[in-house]
Amino acid sequence: MKVSVVGSGYVGTTIAACLADLGHDVVAVDIDQGIVDAINAGDSPIHEPGLDDLVAEHAGGRLRATTDYEALPDTDLTFLAIQTPSNADGSIDTSALEAASEMTGDALADVEEHVVVVKSTVLPDVVDDRLAPRIKAHADDRVSVATNPEFQREGSAVHDFLHPDKLVFGTRPGDERALDALHECYAPLLDARTADGEAVPIVETDVPTAMMVKYANNAFLASKVSLINDIGNICKEYGIDTYEIADAIGLDDRIGAKFLRSGLGWGGSCFPKDLAAIIHAAREHGYEPAMLDAAVTVNENQPERMLELLEKHVDVDGARVAVLGLAFKPGTDDVRNSRAIPVIAGLQERGATVVAYDPVATDNMREHFPDLDYADSAASALENADAALVTTDWDEFQALDDEFDTMHSQIVIDGRRGVEPRDGMTYEGLTW
């Protein structure tokens, strides 16, 4: 199948490379010439485990990139994977996606038939009200518009694409062309197995419902994290290890063990943006989403709790504090809504000298803190530090040992259960 993917960010690059790996001929379309050049040279423009290998393997063969939307008519199906960031009021900014939809519609003006699939996360009414009219402006019914929300986690996006727990196809009632195209596109995955060894379930529904599945999915997961963090904050007051509690309740199949790692909270692009969007949309419809508000409030309070724990052990004003981890989670260089950002800002407000380290995310964090002292290793960050804060649970931090001996005082506040306590260390877990 010939497939085009418009947008080469975290989602677009991953699905383009994975679709090429499944045997499709894929063209990635992006307005950034630098990204296009990188893909054509076999280099991934983002850090994502396994993605470098796929791009390198298929570039120049089943995967190529261009800035020209005129490549779309030569394909059978187009995915739109344009970012939809948050506005200041929490609503989503669809301007870039609308512009891409318009250019897609212009490029497809003379096709006999084509299927456009919206991968970008948008509210249920956006596809029909704002995107489809632009996409179908010239070709009308010769172009079908469908949705196929993505559920890939940064840090494991390649694995999640190739081993999905579900596929959601949103099409207009009676649009067999779009539904058939989605089935054909994903046919190589239909014999795959989920993590539980089951065949991959396919959810066939309408366009608005498919998009709401995405929002509900992320809202539920984010709320689960905030709930275990709230429980963890209470456990901390009693000196109870929240992870023991999580292990026990996770055995209940109504709860499950996933997303019960209490700590500093969630960040990234999806959870914050999607919760803000659905909360804003609910209020526009006259409903107050109290549970989702609470999930956000708990999450926003966790960095401050970490700083309060630090203040129990050290006078932060004038202290040298090492911050270990800048990415919002391990396995990615993405710092969007990273919990390290409010932690660093809070340290600076309290007069601390901050030295930070992350194995891959330093360059992206410079956009937020250009004058921060960035170390080239965890050992360098810890040297002569009065305290250390663990904000991302990179595997390499678990192996740290003698490096703590170089600290001025071995005070460690761990927001991710990311390091092993040792003799001589004053160790505090955020929720355990």
Side-chain angles (χ1 to χ4, degrees), residues 290-325:
M291 284 286 291
L292 297 184
D293 272 336
V296 172
T297 298
V298 169
N299 194 65
E300 293 306 301
N301 287 343
Q302 293 304 98
E304 183 63 26
R305 286 184 60 84
M306 173 177 252
L307 295 169
E308 290 171 356
L309 279 178
L310 176 64
E311 289 177 315
K312 288 170 48 180
H313 298 283
V314 65
D315 182 359
V316 180
D317 188 11
R320 177 181 172 88
V321 180
V323 174
L324 300 182

Coordinates of all heavy atoms in Angstrom, one line a residue, residues 290-325:
A290 N -15.2 17.6 38.1 CA -14.5 17.6 39.4 C -13.4 16.6 39.5 O -12.3 16.9 40.0 CB -15.6 17.4 40.5
M291 N -13.6 15.4 39.0 CA -12.6 14.3 39.1 C -11.4 14.7 38.3 O -10.2 14.5 38.8 CB -13.2 13.0 38.7 CG -14.1 12.3 39.6 SD -13.2 11.6 41.0 CE -12.4 10.2 40.2
L292 N -11.6 15.2 37.1 CA -10.4 15.5 36.3 C -9.7 16.8 36.8 O -8.5 16.8 36.8 CB -10.9 15.8 34.8 CG -11.5 14.6 34.1 CD1 -11.8 14.9 32.7 CD2 -10.6 13.4 34.2
D293 N -10.5 17.7 37.4 CA -9.8 18.9 38.0 C -8.9 18.4 39.2 O -7.8 18.9 39.3 CB -10.9 19.8 38.6 CG -11.3 20.9 37.6 OD1 -10.6 21.1 36.6 OD2 -12.5 21.4 37.7
A294 N -9.4 17.4 39.9 CA -8.7 16.9 41.1 C -7.4 16.2 40.6 O -6.3 16.4 41.2 CB -9.5 16.0 41.9
A295 N -7.5 15.5 39.5 CA -6.3 14.8 39.0 C -5.2 15.8 38.6 O -4.0 15.5 38.9 CB -6.7 13.9 37.8
V296 N -5.6 16.9 38.0 CA -4.7 17.9 37.6 C -4.1 18.6 38.8 O -2.9 18.8 38.9 CB -5.3 18.9 36.6 CG1 -4.4 20.1 36.4 CG2 -5.7 18.3 35.3
T297 N -4.9 18.9 39.8 CA -4.4 19.6 41.0 C -3.4 18.7 41.7 O -2.3 19.2 42.2 CB -5.6 19.9 41.9 OG1 -6.5 20.8 41.2 CG2 -5.1 20.5 43.2
V298 N -3.7 17.4 41.9 CA -2.7 16.6 42.6 C -1.4 16.5 41.8 O -0.3 16.6 42.4 CB -3.3 15.1 42.8 CG1 -2.2 14.2 43.2 CG2 -4.5 15.1 43.7
N299 N -1.5 16.4 40.5 CA -0.3 16.3 39.7 C 0.5 17.6 39.8 O 1.8 17.6 39.9 CB -0.7 16.1 38.3 CG 0.5 15.7 37.4 OD1 1.1 14.6 37.6 ND2 0.9 16.5 36.5
E300 N -0.1 18.8 39.8 CA 0.6 20.0 39.9 C 1.2 20.3 41.2 O 2.2 21.0 41.3 CB -0.3 21.2 39.5 CG -0.8 21.2 38.1 CD 0.3 21.1 37.1 OE1 1.2 22.1 37.1 OE2 0.4 20.2 36.3
N301 N 0.7 19.6 42.3 CA 1.3 19.8 43.6 C 2.5 19.0 43.9 O 3.2 19.3 44.9 CB 0.2 19.5 44.7 CG -0.9 20.6 44.7 OD1 -0.7 21.7 44.2 ND2 -2.0 20.3 45.3
Q302 N 2.7 17.9 43.2 CA 3.8 17.0 43.5 C 5.2 17.6 43.5 O 6.0 17.4 44.4 CB 3.8 15.8 42.6 CG 2.5 14.8 42.8 CD 2.4 14.4 44.3 OE1 1.6 14.9 45.0 NE2 3.1 13.3 44.6
P303 N 5.5 18.5 42.5 CA 6.9 19.1 42.6 C 7.1 20.0 43.8 O 8.2 20.0 44.4 CB 6.9 20.0 41.3 CG 5.9 19.3 40.4 CD 4.8 18.8 41.2
E304 N 6.0 20.6 44.3 CA 6.2 21.5 45.5 C 6.4 20.6 46.7 O 7.2 20.9 47.6 CB 4.9 22.3 45.7 CG 5.0 23.3 46.8 CD 6.1 24.3 46.7 OE1 6.5 24.7 45.6 OE2 6.5 24.8 47.8
R305 N 5.7 19.4 46.7 CA 6.0 18.5 47.9 C 7.4 18.0 47.9 O 8.0 17.8 49.0 CB 5.0 17.3 47.7 CG 3.6 17.6 48.1 CD 2.7 16.4 48.1 NE 3.2 15.4 49.0 CZ 2.8 15.3 50.3 NH1 2.1 16.3 50.8 NH2 3.3 14.4 51.1
M306 N 8.0 17.8 46.7 CA 9.4 17.4 46.6 C 10.3 18.5 47.2 O 11.2 18.2 48.0 CB 9.8 17.1 45.2 CG 11.3 16.8 45.0 SD 11.7 16.4 43.3 CE 12.1 14.6 43.5
L307 N 10.0 19.7 46.9 CA 10.8 20.8 47.4 C 10.7 21.0 48.9 O 11.6 21.3 49.6 CB 10.5 22.1 46.7 CG 10.8 22.1 45.2 CD1 10.2 23.3 44.5 CD2 12.3 22.1 44.9
E308 N 9.4 20.8 49.4 CA 9.2 20.8 50.8 C 10.0 19.8 51.6 O 10.5 20.0 52.7 CB 7.7 20.7 51.1 CG 6.9 22.0 50.7 CD 5.4 21.8 50.8 OE1 5.0 20.6 51.1 OE2 4.7 22.7 50.5
L309 N 10.1 18.5 51.0 CA 10.9 17.5 51.6 C 12.3 17.9 51.6 O 13.0 17.6 52.6 CB 10.7 16.2 50.8 CG 9.5 15.3 51.1 CD1 9.5 14.1 50.2 CD2 9.4 14.9 52.6
L310 N 12.8 18.5 50.6 CA 14.2 18.9 50.5 C 14.5 19.9 51.7 O 15.5 19.8 52.3 CB 14.5 19.5 49.2 CG 15.9 20.1 49.0 CD1 17.0 19.0 49.1 CD2 16.0 20.9 47.7
E311 N 13.6 20.8 51.9 CA 13.8 21.9 52.9 C 13.8 21.3 54.3 O 14.3 22.0 55.2 CB 12.7 22.9 52.7 CG 12.8 23.8 51.5 CD 11.6 24.8 51.3 OE1 10.5 24.4 51.5 OE2 11.9 25.9 51.0
K312 N 13.3 20.1 54.5 CA 13.4 19.5 55.8 C 14.9 19.1 56.1 O 15.3 18.9 57.3 CB 12.6 18.2 55.9 CG 11.1 18.4 55.9 CD 10.3 17.1 55.7 CE 10.8 16.0 56.6 NZ 10.1 14.8 56.4
H313 N 15.7 19.0 55.1 CA 17.1 18.5 55.3 C 18.2 19.4 55.0 O 19.3 19.2 55.4 CB 17.3 17.2 54.4 CG 16.3 16.1 54.7 ND1 16.5 15.3 55.8 CD2 15.2 15.7 54.1 CE1 15.5 14.4 55.8 NE2 14.7 14.6 54.8
V314 N 17.9 20.5 54.3 CA 19.0 21.4 53.9 C 18.4 22.8 53.7 O 17.2 23.0 53.3 CB 19.6 20.9 52.6 CG1 18.7 21.0 51.4 CG2 20.9 21.7 52.2
D315 N 19.2 23.8 54.0 CA 18.9 25.2 53.8 C 19.1 25.4 52.3 O 20.3 25.5 51.8 CB 19.8 26.1 54.6 CG 19.4 27.6 54.4 OD1 18.5 27.9 53.6 OD2 20.1 28.5 55.0
V316 N 18.0 25.5 51.5 CA 18.1 25.5 50.0 C 18.8 26.8 49.5 O 19.5 26.7 48.5 CB 16.7 25.3 49.4 CG1 16.8 25.3 47.9 CG2 16.1 24.0 49.9
D317 N 18.6 27.9 50.2 CA 19.2 29.2 49.8 C 20.7 29.0 49.8 O 21.3 28.8 50.9 CB 18.7 30.3 50.7 CG 19.2 31.7 50.2 OD1 19.7 31.8 49.0 OD2 19.0 32.6 50.9
G318 N 21.4 29.1 48.6 CA 22.8 29.0 48.5 C 23.3 27.6 48.4 O 24.5 27.4 48.2
A319 N 22.4 26.6 48.5 CA 22.9 25.2 48.3 C 23.1 24.8 46.9 O 22.5 25.4 46.0 CB 21.8 24.3 49.0
R320 N 24.0 23.9 46.7 CA 24.2 23.3 45.3 C 23.4 22.1 45.2 O 23.6 21.1 46.0 CB 25.7 23.0 45.1 CG 26.0 22.4 43.8 CD 27.5 22.1 43.7 NE 27.9 21.3 42.5 CZ 28.1 21.8 41.3 NH1 28.1 23.1 41.1 NH2 28.4 21.0 40.3
V321 N 22.4 22.1 44.3 CA 21.5 20.9 44.2 C 21.6 20.3 42.9 O 21.5 21.0 41.8 CB 20.0 21.4 44.5 CG1 19.1 20.2 44.4 CG2 19.9 22.1 45.8
A322 N 21.8 19.0 42.9 CA 21.9 18.2 41.6 C 20.5 17.7 41.3 O 19.8 17.2 42.1 CB 22.8 17.0 41.7
V323 N 20.1 18.0 40.0 CA 18.8 17.5 39.5 C 19.1 16.4 38.5 O 19.7 16.6 37.4 CB 17.9 18.6 38.9 CG1 16.7 18.0 38.2 CG2 17.6 19.6 39.9
L324 N 18.7 15.1 38.8 CA 19.0 14.0 37.9 C 17.8 13.7 37.1 O 16.8 13.2 37.7 CB 19.4 12.8 38.8 CG 20.7 13.0 39.6 CD1 21.0 11.7 40.4 CD2 21.9 13.4 38.8
G325 N 17.8 13.9 35.8 CA 16.7 13.7 34.9 C 16.0 14.9 34.5 O 15.5 15.7 35.4

